[in-house]
Amino acid sequence: ASSQSKMPVDPALVSEIRRKLGVGLKIVILADAGSECEELAEQVALQLQGAFHQAIFITGGLPGVQESFAKSCNPSTTKVYKLTPGSCTLNGHTVKAGTTLREVQSVLACIGDIYITFAGDQEVAEQAGVAFSRGAAVVPVIRTGGASSGKFGFPAAALK
């Protein structure tokens, strides 16, 4: 089975979320809640927001890496969206993306142009696989281990 069959998503929902996020390079941060590389995520956030001034950063709202990344972005100069099954606000941007965590994960795999992965589990590997198969750039932070180091079926070509 392909990665896409594991993460079915409504194309209309993806279109709606992309419209809500607006025009611009969409950079998605993928990590599982158990990843313990928050300090590295904070440093990456500082570097990325400096390098990509007009980019839109997107997380799934999980504690740990995703939360640390988002909190490290300057809310007055950087657009950060947290997609959740319910309405939540982060740095002033609220987006509801589905009704379950699994649906949000599926949407995340379909809306980004670039994906930065930290550690991760099976879900992160699946999301990266879906994103990579549709032509998005997937950049794993390999030293963080887990899916980002090639485990759980992470797309091998993205590790090169």
Side-chain angles (χ1 to χ4, degrees):
S2 74
S3 292
Q4 290 191 353
S5 66
K6 294 178 189 173
M7 299 193 94
V9 65
D10 177 4
L13 178 60
V14 171
S15 294
E16 177 188 344
I17 299 301
R18 286 188 70 83
R19 184 185 52 74
K20 285 181 180 179
L21 295 174
V23 177
L25 181 68
K26 292 168 182 64
I27 301 175
V28 178
I29 307 305
L30 295 180
D32 61 313
S35 301
E36 294 187 9
C37 34
E38 289 92 344
E39 192 172 312
L40 181 58
E42 292 167 5
Q43 293 303 314
V44 169
L46 295 173
Q47 295 298 315
L48 288 177
Q49 66 184 327
F52 297 97
H53 302 290
Q54 301 299 315
I56 299 164
F57 296 98
I58 307 154
T59 77
L62 295 176
V65 167
Q66 292 183 354
E67 182 179 32
S68 294
F69 182 96
K71 286 182 176 179
S72 297
C73 291
N74 182 339
S76 63
T77 60
T78 306
K79 290 182 182 177
V80 179
Y81 291 89
K82 176 171 135 179
L83 302 189
T84 65
S87 294
C88 290
T89 301
L90 184 66
N91 289 1
H93 299 284
T94 302
V95 177
K96 180 179 177 185
T99 57
T100 66
L101 179 59
R102 188 71 173 158
E103 194 171 14
V104 170
Q105 290 173 333
S106 296
V107 169
L108 277 171
C110 295
I111 61 169
D113 301 306
I114 299 173
Y115 289 76
I116 311 293
T117 69
F118 292 85
D121 53 13
Q122 181 67 39
E123 286 78 21
V124 169
E126 285 181 30
Q127 288 174 291
V130 170
F132 192 78
S133 71
R134 62 177 188 76
V138 175
V139 182
V141 182
I142 295 172
R143 74 179 197 174
T144 60
S148 296
S149 67
K151 295 180 181 172
F152 305 109
F154 194 90
L159 296 166
K160 296 177 182 177

